[in-house]
Amino acid sequence: MSVLFDNTSPYRPIESWIYDRVIAPAVMELARPMDRLVFDFLGDGAKILEVGCGGGHLAEHIAKRRSDVSLCGVDLALEQIHRAKRRCSAWQDRLTFLQGSVLDLAFPDNCFDAIISVASIKHWPDRVHGLRECLRVLSPGGMLNIIEAERGCRLDSVRAFVDRWRIPGVFKPLSLFWFRTRVAGLGVHIDEAATMLEALNLPEHRVERIDGTPGLLMSGRKA
Ligand SMILES: C[S@@+](CC[C@H](N)C(=O)[O-])C[C@H]1O[C@@H](n2cnc3c(N)ncnc32)[C@H](O)[C@@H]1O
């Protein structure tokens, strides 16, 4: 089944290709708060897990800025993993990519210093289960940072976001309608984000809107 109709299905090769070319560069704007994590919070030699890494845009962004950290990207779609490996081939000594689901991560407990995920949680069949699995592999004191489209996002922020998609202007009104109704509709409501984080019993957590974008950042620290 296409991910267009069933959001929990893996992306098909053509869907991965279109996403990677058209939308992923704009999604990097939603991922802007990750810079704070990368520059201010990660200690030397930190190990990051990126869940739903897609074609590796964020992994590449991080690898260029921090030469000491290692990152493992996991994605449900094998095609996305191939794409990420190609994009990040210059850093294969410290960037690895594996096909798998957030619901069953192939890592021991407490082995990453930070978990990051951008625009992926809306695809997870069970969001709280996925978040608990992320916490299982996160070390005590480690940071969890999840970014997703906000269900109640403002139309002007959606317009600014869709304006950055690499498509001819004639397709933008339809794309705006599709994003605002279908994609953001599958996203996370700000109250739901707070409820999910509370269910995880983290000592510190917060939910914030990402200025000028249709995105939300859910962040927390493991006890
Ligand atoms: C909208 S894309 C975002 C990709 C990338 N994070 C980015 O920002 O460009 C969502 C990604 O989540 C992945 N995904 C969906 N369900 C998943 C799951 N259960 N476990 C891991 N990854 C999943 C998809 O295959 C897809 O690559």
Side-chain angles (χ1 to χ4, degrees):
M1 169 87 71
S2 164
V3 72
L4 291 176
F5 302 109
D6 174 1
N7 59 305
T8 63
S9 293
Y11 281 48
R12 293 172 174 181
I14 180 71
E15 291 163 343
S16 297
W17 184 84
I18 294 173
Y19 180 82
D20 201 64
R21 292 292 171 105
V22 173
I23 305 178
V27 172
M28 282 303 294
E29 185 66 18
L30 291 190
R32 211 188 322 127
M34 294 300 183
D35 281 349
R36 205 163 66 202
L37 169 82
V38 171
F39 296 120
D40 300 346
F41 293 107
L42 289 181
D44 286 350
K47 292 184 185 159
I48 306 172
L49 173 66
E50 184 183 1
V51 178
C53 61
H57 291 263
L58 180 58
E60 177 187 37
H61 177 85
I62 292 173
K64 283 180 175 167
R65 283 155 184 83
R66 286 287 300 260
S67 59
D68 59 311
V69 303
S70 62
L71 180 147
C72 178
V74 169
D75 200 284
L76 190 63
L78 194 56
E79 175 66 20
Q80 298 281 54
I81 292 297
H82 291 326
R83 208 168 274 287
K85 283 184 176 170
R86 281 197 299 274
R87 174 162 288 114
C88 298
S89 60
W91 301 283
Q92 41 186 312
D93 52 327
R94 55 195 180 90
L95 263 53
T96 50
F97 296 96
L98 294 176
Q99 193 261 335
S101 171
V102 68
L103 300 185
D104 185 19
L105 293 169
F107 306 105
D109 298 356
N110 307 325
C111 65
F112 291 100
D113 302 301
I115 313 280
I116 59 176
S117 180
V118 178
S120 183
I121 193 171
K122 66 176 160 309
H123 297 285
W124 303 354
D126 181 336
R127 296 174 185 191
V128 173
H129 178 145
L131 290 171
R132 286 194 199 287
E133 187 60 357
C134 288
L135 282 184
R136 179 183 69 73
V137 301
L138 185 62
S139 302
M143 294 286 297
L144 175 73
N145 282 267
I146 308 282
I147 289 175
E148 187 48 276
E150 181 189 359
R151 198 173 310 144
C153 55
R154 293 168 53 110
L155 194 58
D156 54 350
S157 66
V158 179
R159 188 171 291 116
F161 176 60
V162 170
D163 262 349
R164 289 193 292 271
W165 292 12
R166 296 178 176 171
I167 47 173
V170 65
F171 295 121
K172 289 196 173 164
L174 187 61
S175 304
L176 187 146
F177 175 75
W178 175 70
F179 184 89
R180 182 67 188 81
T181 54
R182 171 73 179 159
V183 181
L186 291 167
V188 181
H189 190 276
I190 196 158
D191 296 336
E192 179 196 357
T195 307
M196 283 195 288
L197 289 180
E198 270 152 32
L200 301 176
N201 291 321
L202 301 170
E204 285 174 39
H205 61 80
R206 59 192 288 191
V207 179
E208 56 198 288
R209 295 196 165 98
I210 306 166
D211 245 10
T213 80
L216 273 186
L217 168 66
M218 303 161 58
S219 57
R221 194 182 280 279
K222 184 171 167 179

